[in-house]
């Protein structure tokens, strides 16, 4: 028998090792883990879709004026697929996850092509279709892939293979693992302030400009949605910080898990964006 066994979503979420975001950032082991977190924003600087091969879902490049799939090693047709960077947070910190295709379309209810067609008729001030805003504020279970890029190059972006926002499943997960949950806006505001202060402190540390880029292989493509693993060449720029991320000694990279181009994309940088502050009530002990 060939091929990998597809584990039911509920079993996968309940039985795979769980981590907090802090645990994830500090992990020294490769593998898949489940993280319970809230999506607190979308990172438009990375775009929200890519041109994919209709056969393998790898990134298509143009060679001699023709669409070429480096993975299939032949000319292929193209279909746009979701590739969305989101900021996520829990009670221990925050980082960036990368959502692919079904892990976006299942919640948006529209295809990439539908949203591309609609963009020409609406407000594009967000840098991405307003329909994607339905994801912001969602509390979800994420099956996250820890790769060599995260361990060896301190990338702060993690590819997501599966997701669930099922309320009953989430409650079972919380009860089983005794997970602390952000209950209200005041607690979320306190974390926002903490993250902002840490980013501000990080900006005071001198950084080396124009560091050499590194090329390594990473999991990609259909594996993001629970299928077989594939590898790609990815370009990493040193000394970068991920928006809304907890400063913990790790850098970020645009982990393009679908890019198999011979020459990887260069120059995509995480940008330190100001975090919106909320008022926090501080009570002093008598």
């Amino acid at each position: 028998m060939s091929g990998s066994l597809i584990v039911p979503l509920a079993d996968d979420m309940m039985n795979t090792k769980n981590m907090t975001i802090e645990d994830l950032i500090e992990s020294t082991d490769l593998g898949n883990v489940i993280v319970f977190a809230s999506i607190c924003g979308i990172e438009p600087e990375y775009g929200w879709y890519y041109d994919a091969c209709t056969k393998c879902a790898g990134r298509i490049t143009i060679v001699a004026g023709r669409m070429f799939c480096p993975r299939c090693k032949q000319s292929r047709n193209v279909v746009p697929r979701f590739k969305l960077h989101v900021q996520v947070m829990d009670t221990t910190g925050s980082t960036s996850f990368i959502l692919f295709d079904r892990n976006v379309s299942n919640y948006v209810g529209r295809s990439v092509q539908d949203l591309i067609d609609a963009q020409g008729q609406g407000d594009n001030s967000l840098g991405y279709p307003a329909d994607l805003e339905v994801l912001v504020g969602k509390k979800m279970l994420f099956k996250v892939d820890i790769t060599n890029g995260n361990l060896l190059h301190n990338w702060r972006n993690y590819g997501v293979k599966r997701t669930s926002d099922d309320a009953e499943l989430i409650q079972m997960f919380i009860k089983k693992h005794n997970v602390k949950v952000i209950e209200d806006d005041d607690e979320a505001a306190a974390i926002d302030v903490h993250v902002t202060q840490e980013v501000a402190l990080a900006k005071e540390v001198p950084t080396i400009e124009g560091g050499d880029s590194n090329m390594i292989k990473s999991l990609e493509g259909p594996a993001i949605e629970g299928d077989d693993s594939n590898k790609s060449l990815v370009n990493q720029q040193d000394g970068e910080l991920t928006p809304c991320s907890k400063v913990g000694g790790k850098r970020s990279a645009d982990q393009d898990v679908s890019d198999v181009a011979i020459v990887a994309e260069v120059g995509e940088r995480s940008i330190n964006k100001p975090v919106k502050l909320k008022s926090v009530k501080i009570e002093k002990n008598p």
Side-chain angles (χ1 to χ4, degrees):
M1 180 181 293
S2 62
S4 59
L5 177 66
I6 302 300
V7 179
L9 179 62
D11 291 344
D12 205 7
M13 294 296 183
M14 292 298 294
N15 298 324
T16 303
K17 180 180 180 179
N18 74 295
M19 285 187 177
T20 63
I21 289 177
E22 184 176 42
D23 294 334
L24 181 68
I25 292 172
E26 297 176 355
S27 176
T28 58
D29 298 320
L30 294 170
N32 300 318
V33 299
I34 307 300
V35 177
F36 175 62
S38 300
I39 297 177
C40 60
I42 294 173
E43 299 176 331
E45 60 266 32
Y46 297 116
W48 55 277
Y49 71 94
Y50 71 104
D51 291 327
C53 172
T54 54
K55 181 70 174 180
C56 71
R59 182 183 291 273
I60 288 291
T61 60
I62 299 178
V63 177
R66 302 178 64 184
M67 299 295 184
F68 181 79
C69 176
R71 187 187 298 171
C72 297
K73 300 187 185 305
Q74 60 182 290
S75 296
R76 290 291 192 189
N77 291 325
V78 173
V79 61
R81 292 169 65 94
F82 285 111
K83 175 176 175 285
L84 187 67
H85 291 242
V86 296
Q87 304 166 40
V88 296
M89 66 184 296
D90 65 7
T91 58
T92 68
S94 58
T95 190
S96 294
F97 286 169
I98 309 172
L99 305 179
F100 286 82
D101 226 45
R102 286 197 295 268
N103 288 320
V104 179
S105 61
N106 284 348
Y107 305 103
V108 176
R110 302 180 69 181
S111 70
V112 174
Q113 191 60 58
D114 287 341
L115 297 182
I116 292 174
D117 294 340
Q119 262 198 311
Q121 306 169 12
D123 180 11
N124 297 322
S125 60
L126 292 174
Y128 54 85
D131 299 64
L132 298 179
E133 284 286 291
V134 70
L135 294 167
V136 178
K138 272 190 175 295
K139 295 181 179 180
M140 304 172 68
L141 296 173
F142 300 87
K143 184 177 182 179
V144 178
D145 188 22
I146 304 175
T147 69
N148 279 320
N150 303 120
L151 303 185
L152 301 180
H153 297 273
N154 295 327
W155 291 0
R156 292 288 297 275
N157 296 335
Y158 299 84
V160 174
K161 291 186 172 182
R162 308 180 83 175
T163 60
S164 175
D165 68 342
D166 181 85
E168 184 176 351
L169 180 58
I170 288 174
Q171 287 304 314
M172 290 171 58
F173 181 89
I174 290 173
K175 184 176 181 180
K176 178 178 179 178
H177 299 293
N178 193 27
V179 176
K180 183 179 179 182
V181 180
I182 298 176
E183 296 291 350
D184 53 39
D185 288 342
D186 285 342
E187 189 170 356
I191 293 179
D192 277 350
V193 171
H194 179 61
V195 170
T196 304
Q197 290 172 340
E198 288 186 312
V199 171
L201 289 173
K203 289 181 178 180
E204 296 176 4
V205 179
T207 58
I208 299 174
E209 296 295 334
D212 293 337
S213 59
N214 301 287
M215 304 280 288
I216 84 165
K217 293 191 174 182
S218 172
L219 293 176
E220 64 162 294
I224 293 302
E225 297 176 17
D227 299 324
D228 293 336
S229 298
N230 297 283
K231 295 183 178 181
S232 70
L233 290 174
V234 186
N235 191 287
Q236 156 69 12
Q237 197 76 18
D238 288 338
E240 301 170 2
L241 292 173
T242 303
C244 194
S245 63
K246 176 179 177 182
V247 176
K250 290 201 173 187
R251 299 184 298 273
S252 70
D254 181 12
Q255 180 191 3
D256 189 350
V257 290
S258 294
D259 191 349
V260 290
I262 300 302
V263 180
E265 293 178 349
V266 179
E268 290 187 332
R269 290 175 174 268
S270 296
I271 301 171
N272 288 320
K273 296 183 292 188
V275 180
K276 181 179 180 181
L277 298 180
K278 303 177 184 178
S279 60
V280 181
K281 183 178 180 181
I282 301 176
E283 297 182 357
K284 297 183 179 179
N285 293 327

